[in-house]
Amino acid sequence: MCRIAGAPPRILPPLLVMVLAALQQAPIKATCEGALCKTGFPEDVYNAVISRGIHEGQPLLNVQFRSCEGSRKVHFESSAPADFRVGKDGVIYAARSFQLSPEPTRFLLYAKDKETQEQWEVAVKLVPEPENTEKEQKKMDDIIFPRQQNKHSGHLQRQKRDWVIPPINLPENSRGPFPQELVRIRSDRDNKLSLRYSVTGPGADQPPTGIFIINPISGQLSVTKPLDREQIASFHLRAHAVDVNGNQVENPIDIVVNVIDMNDNRPEFLHQVWNGTVPEGSKPGTYVMTVTAIDADDPNVLNGMLRYRILSQAPSTPSPNMFTINNETGDIITVAAGLDREKVQQYTLIIQATDMEGNPTYGLSNTATAVITVTDVNDNPPEFTAMIFYGEVPENRLDVIVANLTVMDKDQPHTPAWNAIYRTTSGDPSGRFAIFTDPNSNDGLVTVVKPIDFETNRMFVLTVAAENQVPLAKGIQHPPQSTATVSISVIDVNESPYFVPNPKIERKEEGLPAGTILTTFTAQDPDRYMPQTALRYSKLSDPANWLRIDPNTGQITTTGVLDRESPHVKNNMYNATFLASDTGIPPMSGSGTLQIILIDINDNAPRVDPPEATTCETLQPNATNITAIDDDIDPNAGPFAFELPINPPSVRKNWTIIRISGDRAQLALRIKFLEAGIYDVPIIITDSGNPPKSSTSLLKVKVCQCDINGDCTDADRIVGAGLGTGAIIAILLCIITLLILVLMFVVWMKRRDKERQAKQLLIDPEDDVRDNILKYDEEGGGEEDQDYDLSQLQQPDTIEPDAIKPVGIRRLDERPIHAEPQYPVRSAAPHPGDIGDFINEGLKAADNDPTAPPYDSLLVFDYEGSGSTAGSLSSLNSSSSGGEQDYDYLNDWGPRFKKLADMYGGGDD
């Protein structure tokens, strides 16, 4: 909490208080700025001097609450709520009308945070105005309402005075005490009427409310708290005067309150860090950048008039004052020469802006940083690191880097002022070398772009110059170090032999016999300075295998007859490729092409095309056109001669032929009618060669019935009767394909049946439950329900026929002494598909077998032999009779054996 140092111990007149506050504002603010922020009331006691007569609703003073954590929802309360109430904005109002006692009135004001429930309190002291103050009030300026215009006899009466109310000037940030009286508003009718005064407008009854208050009785206008010009520069109020009934007595008057600016705001730069650039080597006076600061105070007074200056420069080389600033506009310019990016790349300036026109005593200041980067210009040419560079390259090699040229450039890397461009000034008139720039290292890469022949040039000496992408700065010259010499040696390598000429053209007649010498095709070795043996020749490509080359001399002879009509001959030309190889290290070879132009001879007879024709069976219309073709060319081809042979005589009897052009003729019927069918007509065709060649072609003519337009009507019948070779072959292929498909299907079905039978054999018949009906837990009827002779179970021998009598009583585990019963032979198990028949046959055999035992007889299935170490398991067939057995033990086996106990354990019964 800040206090005004040296504050007057007594209540001073309001005007004097404002003057003191204005004079002491700067030191007061400086004192408060150093204090820590504390939430609560900034004063321990609020003092206010007010008039003795207080009416209800009269604003008395304004208290301030400081919140350091942002906006708090604070509720104000008074310790004397019957007399005073507090608004949300901290303005204290009278809760009722009363007279202040001569003694100061004291009460407490509470502020409570609704969220955190924190509470603060401050004391309020109200002192009544002394008598001398009332006298001073009489001396205060009065604003009197102008007299209203009255109407007399239907016309207006002119006012005596024209009122001009000057504005009220009030300094901002006044320290009070508050409320601070400004003026008194009164009407000249207040001596006759009881008037009430009020004020309206922003700052009174409109937001922000409660800044200005007026005593409704005395008309005294006061301000309740300090004003801030940066928020509101002026207030426009309107004063009203009414009687006790609320009737308007005077016209409202306008009151303007101007807030006088105080120097309470420091200059603020738009950016805390400003960035600018300047080229190196710039002359003094070169513009660099502009910095700008603003001041919230009035720019029309000294409080808002700023001045700039440079506080420091880093680094201070080559001069501590390389830059200056326009103190009014903030423009930064150079004032000294010597900007060199290679020495200093960046300068940092501390700029200060001060208001009060730069007055260091009364003005407020602020600082910002200006970072000036010195940009690069091409003031350093590239310089070679050596005067001579060496390189070597094998002959006939392309895109090979021969030498690496290195340069140094002090300019900023990877900029147009640093990037080097290399050019050859002499030593390479044919342009066999090119120099490319490495974008990363800026080196020059000397590269071969055209083949070099060692036998022609063994060494190259190039003169190379280096430049930048942009020209050098004005006044900078290229030093001798920007030029270098490149010495390149050519290395001899084994080169491929080459044929001369290539290709070689020879004109020969076709039909040359095998062994004919065509020509000699030799190659040359370009390596004159490399000792080697003679070249060797071989054949690389010979599509028809007609040629042979001598490996030593290169002489080419034929191994077959040259035929112009061969499919390997294109456009009368036959191509063959040969290879020549040397003995160098490594061995090299070269190829050459021999082109033989074959001259046509008459070695092919003409033939008819197409070999089939169609005509009508009547004389008119019956002509058909045929064409002759010959594999030879002029003059060994057409025009052709057409004629029919003498034999057989039926040909000339039935047919006639007339030539209509050099290669076409017309075949027609000589007789009026020829039966429909297919006829083979021989035709003799002779070409124009020297000597001529002729052949007899067989033309297959289909004679058919025709309509009036000459179209065959029974062509299908004729075609079906005489199918061509191609049609027959196609039909046979279709039939063979179908047979193969049927055979494959049969084989597949047999394999499928075998797999199915194999799977059935793998299944145990006892486990195969398909098509079986299984019955479980079927106990059937007891002995009482079935008429069985149980003695037969004990004496199975009684069932034997009378013809076979047992000797004594035998055991079932003994070999029978009588002949075994003979059962009829049954057929083996049939196919599973006849299982029903198999069961029926077995049933009939069992029914018709007289030796078969009854259903409930004891059957002897096999003889187990004698001498078993185990005792007999047959308790039913014993030597003793049933009456001798004791079955009483069955009574001890439980209810399940009760029936057996009653049957066998009952004694004689």
Side-chain angles (χ1 to χ4, degrees):
M1 184 167 53
C2 300
R3 295 182 177 276
I4 302 176
R10 60 186 181 83
I11 299 174
L12 299 179
L15 183 60
L16 182 58
V17 172
M18 288 189 295
V19 174
L20 290 175
L23 294 176
Q24 295 179 357
Q25 180 181 5
I28 289 173
K29 189 169 185 178
T31 305
C32 292
E33 286 178 354
L36 296 175
C37 179
K38 181 180 180 182
T39 301
F41 295 100
E43 302 288 345
D44 293 334
V45 179
Y46 281 93
N47 297 303
V49 180
I50 59 177
S51 59
R52 292 173 180 263
I54 299 177
H55 63 278
E56 182 180 354
Q58 176 182 347
L60 304 178
L61 77 159
N62 185 19
V63 297
Q64 293 182 346
F65 183 84
R66 180 183 301 162
S67 176
C68 299
E69 292 83 7
S71 59
R72 285 175 174 263
K73 296 181 179 180
V74 180
H75 176 67
F76 296 99
E77 293 181 357
S78 171
S79 61
D83 297 332
F84 307 99
R85 62 181 178 85
V86 187
K88 295 181 179 179
D89 54 356
V91 179
I92 301 176
Y93 299 91
R96 61 184 181 88
S97 301
F98 62 93
Q99 292 287 331
L100 282 179
S101 62
E103 297 296 329
T105 301
R106 295 181 176 85
F107 62 92
L108 296 178
L109 181 63
Y110 303 101
K112 186 175 182 180
D113 193 327
K114 295 182 179 180
E115 296 180 356
T116 62
Q117 302 300 321
E118 295 183 78
Q119 183 171 313
W120 299 267
E121 64 179 30
V122 69
V124 180
K125 180 180 179 182
L126 302 179
V127 180
E129 294 179 347
E131 297 180 357
N132 56 353
T133 305
E134 295 179 358
K135 295 180 182 180
E136 291 178 1
Q137 288 180 356
K138 295 180 181 180
K139 298 179 182 180
M140 184 179 300
D141 293 338
D142 292 345
I143 297 178
I144 302 176
F145 284 91
R147 184 173 301 174
Q148 294 183 358
Q149 297 178 352
N150 298 324
K151 295 182 179 180
H152 297 282
S153 302
H155 64 276
L156 296 176
Q157 183 179 359
R158 185 176 181 180
Q159 292 183 223
K160 294 182 180 180
R161 294 173 295 180
D162 188 10
W163 290 88
V164 177
I165 301 174
I168 302 173
N169 296 324
L170 183 62
E172 65 173 335
N173 303 321
S174 175
R175 299 297 295 175
F178 296 102
Q180 178 181 340
E181 298 177 352
L182 302 179
V183 294
R184 189 174 65 175
I185 301 172
R186 56 179 295 272
S187 173
D188 53 2
R189 297 184 182 184
D190 59 355
N191 54 356
K192 299 178 181 180
L193 299 174
S194 177
L195 303 181
R196 295 293 183 268
Y197 300 98
S198 63
V199 64
T200 60
D205 62 342
Q206 299 178 16
T209 60
I211 296 179
F212 297 97
I213 58 176
I214 189 171
N215 191 315
I217 305 300
S218 62
Q220 179 177 306
L221 181 64
S222 304
V223 61
T224 60
K225 60 181 180 180
L227 304 180
D228 188 355
R229 191 203 67 83
E230 286 70 39
Q231 294 183 359
I232 301 177
S234 63
F235 295 88
H236 295 267
L237 307 176
R238 175 164 287 193
H240 306 269
V242 297
D243 57 14
V244 293
N245 296 323
N247 297 322
Q248 180 176 321
V249 178
E250 301 284 357
N251 290 329
I253 60 174
D254 293 329
I255 301 175
V256 178
V257 179
N258 292 328
V259 183
I260 306 303
D261 183 48
M262 307 297 291
N263 192 17
D264 59 342
N265 291 281
R266 294 180 179 274
E268 296 291 341
F269 283 91
L270 297 180
H271 306 286
Q272 194 60 35
V273 177
W274 297 78
N275 294 293
T277 59
V278 60
E280 63 175 332
S282 297
K283 297 180 180 180
T286 302
Y287 170 80
V288 180
M289 60 189 300
T290 299
V291 296
T292 304
I294 57 175
D295 197 319
D297 292 325
D298 190 354
N300 299 320
V301 298
L302 295 178
N303 298 334
M305 296 182 180
L306 307 181
R307 296 295 182 267
Y308 303 93
R309 70 190 186 100
I310 298 176
L311 296 182
S312 64
Q313 169 191 309
S316 59
T317 57
S319 171
N321 298 317
M322 296 294 295
F323 306 93
T324 185
I325 188 170
N326 188 310
N327 62 349
E328 294 184 2
T329 63
D331 295 341
I332 300 177
I333 59 175
T334 60
V335 293
L339 290 174
D340 191 351
R341 190 205 65 84
E342 287 72 33
K343 296 180 179 179
V344 179
Q345 299 182 3
Q346 193 177 80
Y347 289 91
T348 302
L349 307 180
I350 303 300
I351 310 298
Q352 183 186 58
T354 307
D355 56 15
M356 300 296 291
E357 290 189 329
N359 190 319
T361 303
Y362 303 106
L364 301 178
S365 302
N366 211 337
T367 59
T369 302
V371 178
I372 302 175
T373 301
V374 182
T375 59
D376 187 36
V377 298
N378 194 13
D379 58 345
N380 294 282
E383 299 180 0
F384 285 99
T385 57
M387 297 303 297
I388 300 178
F389 294 89
Y390 297 94
E392 60 182 13
V393 58
E395 62 175 333
N396 299 321
R397 296 286 298 275
L398 292 176
D399 299 327
V400 178
I401 298 176
V402 178
N404 211 19
L405 311 182
T406 56
V407 295
M408 292 185 60
D409 196 320
K410 298 179 181 179
D411 292 322
Q412 186 175 356
H414 305 291
T415 61
W418 179 81
N419 297 333
I421 298 176
Y422 301 88
R423 59 186 180 89
T424 303
T425 58
S426 64
D428 185 20
S430 57
R432 299 182 182 275
F433 300 94
I435 306 177
F436 303 99
T437 303
D438 189 325
N440 297 321
S441 62
N442 211 26
D443 294 345
L445 308 178
V446 182
T447 308
V448 181
V449 295
K450 291 183 181 181
I452 302 174
D453 188 7
F454 173 82
E455 286 72 23
T456 304
N457 299 98
R458 299 186 180 185
M459 179 174 289
F460 292 88
V461 178
L462 310 180
T463 302
V464 179
E467 300 174 348
N468 292 120
Q469 290 182 350
V470 296
L472 290 173
K474 190 175 181 179
I476 306 296
Q477 301 294 331
H478 282 282
Q481 292 80 4
S482 297
T483 303
T485 301
V486 182
S487 178
I488 302 173
S489 301
V490 182
I491 302 174
D492 188 18
V493 296
N494 186 24
E495 299 178 77
S496 301
Y498 58 93
F499 286 86
V500 178
N502 190 13
K504 186 175 184 179
I505 301 174
E506 293 288 335
R507 300 177 64 88
K508 300 293 180 180
E509 281 190 355
E510 65 172 330
L512 291 179
T516 303
I517 299 175
L518 294 182
T519 184
T520 300
F521 197 18
T522 58
Q524 298 180 8
D525 193 343
D527 298 312
R528 298 192 301 268
Y529 304 100
M530 189 175 293
Q532 296 186 36
T533 59
L535 299 177
R536 301 283 295 179
Y537 300 96
S538 61
K539 185 171 62 174
L540 183 62
S541 173
D542 183 11
N545 198 21
W546 288 341
L547 306 176
R548 183 182 66 85
I549 188 170
D550 188 282
N552 298 317
T553 62
Q555 187 181 67
I556 298 175
T557 58
T558 61
T559 59
V561 178
L562 304 183
D563 186 7
R564 190 197 65 84
E565 289 75 29
S566 172
H568 302 290
V569 178
K570 306 297 181 183
N571 298 325
N572 304 326
M573 183 178 293
Y574 179 74
N575 293 321
T577 306
F578 300 93
L579 200 66
S581 305
D582 61 14
T583 57
I585 301 176
M588 302 296 292
S589 61
S591 63
T593 301
L594 176 64
Q595 294 180 342
I596 304 174
I597 299 177
L598 295 176
I599 302 173
D600 185 40
I601 63 175
N602 194 11
D603 57 344
N604 293 280
R607 63 187 183 275
V608 67
D609 185 67
E612 297 178 355
T614 304
T615 186
C616 297
E617 60 183 4
T618 59
L619 185 60
Q620 297 293 335
N622 63 352
T624 180
N625 295 330
I626 61 174
T627 304
I629 60 173
D630 194 333
D631 293 334
D632 295 324
I633 60 176
D634 291 336
N636 298 318
F640 300 100
F642 300 88
E643 61 177 337
L644 297 176
I646 299 175
N647 293 317
S650 60
V651 175
R652 290 194 174 187
K653 177 182 177 182
N654 297 333
W655 304 94
T656 179
I657 189 168
I658 302 173
R659 192 179 74 170
I660 59 178
S661 66
D663 57 350
R664 299 181 64 189
Q666 192 174 72
L667 181 68
L669 285 175
R670 182 182 294 271
I671 60 178
K672 294 182 178 181
F673 176 81
L674 184 64
E675 185 180 357
I678 299 177
Y679 299 87
D680 292 333
V681 180
I683 300 175
I684 301 174
I685 306 175
T686 306
D687 60 20
S688 300
N690 187 17
K693 254 188 178 309
S694 63
S695 66
T696 301
S697 297
L698 198 61
L699 179 63
K700 189 179 292 295
V701 181
K702 300 175 183 179
V703 179
C704 61
Q705 297 177 1
C706 299
D707 55 15
I708 58 176
N709 297 322
D711 298 328
C712 286
T713 58
D714 57 349
D716 296 337
R717 177 175 57 85
I718 297 175
V719 171
L723 294 176
T725 305
I728 295 174
I729 293 175
I731 293 174
L732 291 176
L733 288 177
C734 293
I735 294 174
I736 293 173
T737 304
L738 290 176
L739 291 176
I740 293 174
L741 291 177
V742 171
L743 182 61
M744 292 177 62
F745 180 75
V746 171
V747 172
W748 177 75
M749 289 296 294
K750 288 186 174 296
R751 290 188 59 185
R752 184 179 178 185
D753 291 341
K754 290 181 179 180
E755 292 177 356
R756 185 180 299 172
Q757 293 176 6
K759 290 182 179 178
Q760 291 177 354
L761 293 175
L762 293 176
I763 299 176
D764 189 356
E766 295 181 357
D767 296 335
D768 189 4
V769 296
R770 294 175 297 175
D771 301 331
N772 293 335
I773 299 176
L774 303 181
K775 296 182 180 180
Y776 299 93
D777 300 331
E778 183 179 359
E779 298 179 355
E783 289 80 3
E784 295 179 353
D785 298 333
Q786 299 180 10
D787 189 11
Y788 291 144
D789 186 5
L790 298 178
S791 62
Q792 296 295 330
L793 298 177
Q794 300 177 355
Q795 301 293 334
D797 295 337
T798 59
I799 66 174
E800 297 178 358
D802 296 337
I804 304 176
K805 299 293 184 178
V807 180
I809 299 174
R810 65 177 180 86
R811 296 171 58 90
L812 291 181
D813 54 354
E814 296 177 352
R815 180 184 297 274
I817 60 176
H818 56 271
E820 297 291 337
Q822 299 296 323
Y823 296 98
V825 179
R826 300 175 183 176
S827 61
H831 191 274
D834 300 331
I835 189 67
D837 298 339
F838 174 76
I839 295 175
N840 292 329
E841 292 178 0
L843 179 60
K844 292 179 181 180
D847 292 339
N848 298 326
D849 186 7
T851 62
Y855 172 77
D856 54 353
S857 299
L858 181 63
L859 302 181
V860 180
F861 291 96
D862 197 3
Y863 175 72
E864 297 180 357
S866 60
S868 174
T869 57
S872 175
L873 299 178
S874 177
S875 62
L876 298 178
N877 189 13
S878 61
S879 59
S880 61
S881 64
E884 297 176 357
Q885 296 290 335
D886 186 7
Y887 297 103
D888 292 339
Y889 59 88
L890 295 176
N891 295 322
D892 300 332
W893 286 12
R896 292 187 178 183
F897 296 89
K898 184 176 183 303
K899 186 68 175 177
L900 292 177
D902 293 340
M903 294 175 59
Y904 297 96
D908 297 338
D909 296 335

